[in-house]
Amino acid sequence: MRRVFASFLLASAATVFSWPALAVPVAFDHARLIDGTGGVVKENITVVIDNGLIRSVGSTAPSDAQHIDLRGKTLLPALISDHSHVGLVQGTQGSSDNYTRANILAALQQYTRYGVLTVTALGLNKSPLFDDLRREQHAGKNPGADLFGVDQGISAPNGVPPDSLVKGLGPDQVYRPASPEEARQDVDKMVSEGTDLVKVWVDDFRNDVPNGKTYPKLSPTIYAAAIDEAHKHGTRVAVHIHDLDVAKSVVAAKADIIAHGVRDRPVDAALVSAMKRQGTWYIATLDLDEANYIFAEHPEWLNDPFLSAGLDPALRAQFSDPTWRMQTLSKPLTPASRYALEINQRNLMTLYRAGVHIGFGTDSGAAATRIPGFAEHRELALTVGAGLTPVEAITLATGNAAALLHLTDRGVIAAGKRADILIVDGAPDMNIAALDHIDQVWQRGVLINHGLTAK
């Protein structure tokens, strides 16, 4: 009976996108609870949702509630990404031409199938389409994840991101100021469009381009001006970095968020101290480097329904191609990516233990192998591989990720919060792989996905 009720709600969610209140409260009984705060896992908990919000967390339910038995399952907040991209990739190709309403909405729906209900598209977006869709997702007018992010972003003239990553990038997706004054004007434009954050790229891609080519790097005087101008408007700045020296420089310039992990060498006490003193957030994006080679290593993953749910047919064909796999594993980028991942994991653990603010993101959607939704689950596995416990990793992707975005209405399971809920079979606090066994996804109190399960 309970499964029939769940199926009915799923059918309703498939046709109605204005998130109407359900007729009666829903009580999830006998749940194991990971609440997103980092606290201990609680057993045999009843969570009641009503009118799109969590009504109570405890042991009782109102008499009129519809009950769903969660014995053997774990209930936790839906996942939140602080660093992703939308609308840039279609099939195996990244292109500015892919940036369409239909492609963006398809990506946002894919995120929800994996239990990622809030996504931050960190740059390379186009106005006014991005601004329109952001408002529509906030209002629940379309299916798919809620959307936050950066409008265009700022980088050096002829700098990164290069055309080899996303073909056809133009001034409507990346501003490339040649002076501090131009940088301030670009920030003013983004703020006028309502951007949630300002994104700045400070990297030459020396470590990421297999042919050894490097690109001009944004100068300190220009990115310092961009950061200062954003702060004058009360807007925070996320900076794309790769190396330790750059991380130190942008923190000294008052950057609010380091949007990628330090991947050239171990972080030192000076960076840790500066980040703690300033309250700088750190997003490791571990999956970014692993995605450069992992699918060439593991073609058997193609038989896993959990991956298949996120694969475009063209991408599946690429992963199935033995020539592509051999060429990928033989590229100089592959050992460089392995090294970067190893250093990134070590640095994440160092910063976490030191008490630096850690968010959650993957750079999913920026390249074809960074698969929306699937990448977030890989990020959690890699975070545990770095040394965090499963509960600590999950907390980064829920409560911490919401805190980075200054969102107080989600990310934890508590009375009054949004009923954005992920339910999985098993105990992900004991084995993070259980998080891939998705049983239900509820968005604003409506069941939107049922039964996406790993093999």
Side-chain angles (χ1 to χ4, degrees), residues 161-315:
D163 199 59
S164 59
L165 181 65
V166 180
K167 296 185 184 304
L169 282 178
D172 58 342
Q173 287 181 281
V174 185
Y175 293 136
R176 301 190 184 274
S179 69
E181 292 73 23
E182 287 184 18
R184 290 182 184 277
Q185 293 169 9
D186 293 339
V187 169
D188 292 344
K189 175 65 172 173
M190 281 188 279
V191 170
S192 73
E193 294 170 343
T195 190
D196 296 307
L197 301 162
V198 167
K199 168 75 173 287
V200 177
W201 283 266
V202 186
D203 192 5
D204 59 11
F205 269 30
R206 168 177 51 85
N207 301 279
D208 298 315
V209 180
N211 61 12
K213 180 179 180 180
T214 59
Y215 295 85
K217 188 186 296 182
L218 197 65
S219 73
T221 56
I222 293 179
Y223 65 69
I227 293 170
D228 179 67
E229 189 69 15
H231 288 172
K232 286 181 178 179
H233 292 285
T235 302
R236 294 179 300 150
V237 180
V239 182
H240 169 118
I241 63 97
H242 186 285
D243 294 348
L244 176 60
D245 288 345
V246 175
K248 289 181 177 180
S249 296
V250 300
V251 171
K254 308 299 184 185
D256 303 280
I257 301 161
I258 293 181
H260 292 287
V262 173
R263 289 163 281 161
D264 65 328
R265 52 198 171 104
V267 295
D268 58 18
L271 178 65
V272 171
S273 177
M275 293 182 72
K276 290 185 67 176
R277 183 171 58 251
Q278 190 168 298
T280 312
W281 282 86
Y282 185 87
I283 308 172
T285 63
L286 301 170
D287 179 75
L288 181 158
D289 289 293
E290 190 198 54
N292 290 334
Y293 61 84
I294 194 66
F295 300 106
E297 276 191 343
H298 290 286
E300 73 276 9
W301 285 8
L302 291 172
N303 298 320
D304 187 338
F306 195 70
L307 173 60
S308 297
L311 283 185
D312 180 276
L315 192 59

Side-chain angles (χ1 to χ4, degrees), residues 19 30 38 57 76-77 88 101 116 132 166 172 214-215 226 334 339 360 392 394 396 425 437:
W19 310 111
H30 309 297
V57 180
L76 63 152
L88 303 179
R101 169 179 283 268
V116 184
D132 292 342
V166 180
D172 58 342
T214 59
Y215 295 85
T334 291
Y339 174 80
F360 181 81
E392 289 170 340
I394 290 167
L396 297 188
D425 291 316
H437 294 263

Side-chain angles (χ1 to χ4, degrees), residues 28-378:
F28 300 102
D29 298 317
H30 309 297
R32 301 180 75 259
L33 177 65
I34 299 174
D35 67 7
T37 68
V40 298
V41 177
K42 298 177 182 178
E43 303 279 354
N44 200 30
I45 296 295
T46 295
V47 177
V48 179
I49 63 174
D50 188 19
N51 197 30
L53 301 176
I54 298 169
R55 176 166 170 175
S56 64
V57 180
S59 59
T60 61
S63 58
D64 61 339
Q66 169 70 53
H67 291 264
I68 299 177
D69 192 338
L70 294 189
R71 268 181 268 249
K73 304 180 190 299
T74 300
L75 184 150
L76 63 152
L79 306 181
I80 297 170
S81 173
D82 293 322
H83 187 167
S84 294
H85 296 272
V86 295
L88 303 179
V89 174
Q90 197 158 33
T92 63
Q93 300 298 318
S95 172
S96 179
D97 292 339
N98 295 334
Y99 200 85
T100 65
R101 169 179 283 268
N103 201 34
I104 294 168
L105 289 177
L108 294 175
Q109 290 181 68
Q110 177 159 313
Y111 279 111
T112 65
R113 291 196 290 274
Y114 286 92
V116 184
L117 296 192
T118 301
V119 170
T120 310
L122 209 58
L124 305 180
N125 299 301
K126 294 183 181 182
S127 296
L129 176 57
F130 177 71
D131 305 306
D132 292 342
L133 283 174
R134 185 172 44 185
R135 286 188 290 268
E136 290 172 19
Q137 297 310 107
H138 292 345
K141 292 185 176 180
N142 310 304
D146 199 359
L147 181 62
F148 295 84
V150 174
D151 276 21
Q152 294 84 4
I154 293 174
S155 188
N158 301 311
V160 303
D163 199 59
S164 59
L165 181 65
V166 180
K167 296 185 184 304
L169 282 178
D172 58 342
Q173 287 181 281
V174 185
Y175 293 136
R176 301 190 184 274
S179 69
E181 292 73 23
E182 287 184 18
R184 290 182 184 277
Q185 293 169 9
D186 293 339
V187 169
D188 292 344
K189 175 65 172 173
M190 281 188 279
V191 170
S192 73
E193 294 170 343
T195 190
D196 296 307
L197 301 162
V198 167
K199 168 75 173 287
V200 177
W201 283 266
V202 186
D203 192 5
D204 59 11
F205 269 30
R206 168 177 51 85
N207 301 279
D208 298 315
V209 180
N211 61 12
K213 180 179 180 180
T214 59
Y215 295 85
K217 188 186 296 182
L218 197 65
S219 73
T221 56
I222 293 179
Y223 65 69
I227 293 170
D228 179 67
E229 189 69 15
H231 288 172
K232 286 181 178 179
H233 292 285
T235 302
R236 294 179 300 150
V237 180
V239 182
H240 169 118
I241 63 97
H242 186 285
D243 294 348
L244 176 60
D245 288 345
V246 175
K248 289 181 177 180
S249 296
V250 300
V251 171
K254 308 299 184 185
D256 303 280
I257 301 161
I258 293 181
H260 292 287
V262 173
R263 289 163 281 161
D264 65 328
R265 52 198 171 104
V267 295
D268 58 18
L271 178 65
V272 171
S273 177
M275 293 182 72
K276 290 185 67 176
R277 183 171 58 251
Q278 190 168 298
T280 312
W281 282 86
Y282 185 87
I283 308 172
T285 63
L286 301 170
D287 179 75
L288 181 158
D289 289 293
E290 190 198 54
N292 290 334
Y293 61 84
I294 194 66
F295 300 106
E297 276 191 343
H298 290 286
E300 73 276 9
W301 285 8
L302 291 172
N303 298 320
D304 187 338
F306 195 70
L307 173 60
S308 297
L311 283 185
D312 180 276
L315 192 59
R316 169 183 285 278
Q318 183 183 78
F319 290 168
S320 299
D321 182 0
T323 300
W324 176 85
R325 296 199 300 269
M326 180 183 65
Q327 290 175 344
T328 297
L329 295 176
S330 65
K331 288 179 179 178
L333 181 60
T334 291
S337 296
R338 294 184 197 277
Y339 174 80
L341 173 58
E342 178 186 353
I343 292 293
N344 202 356
Q345 287 180 303
R346 287 171 55 187
N347 286 337
L348 171 61
M349 195 61 187
T350 297
L351 294 167
Y352 183 84
R353 285 175 173 160
V356 170
H357 296 309
I358 310 292
F360 181 81
T362 65
D363 210 26
S364 57
T369 59
R370 302 172 200 168
I371 300 168
F374 183 85
E376 282 65 36
H377 286 256
R378 283 301 301 162

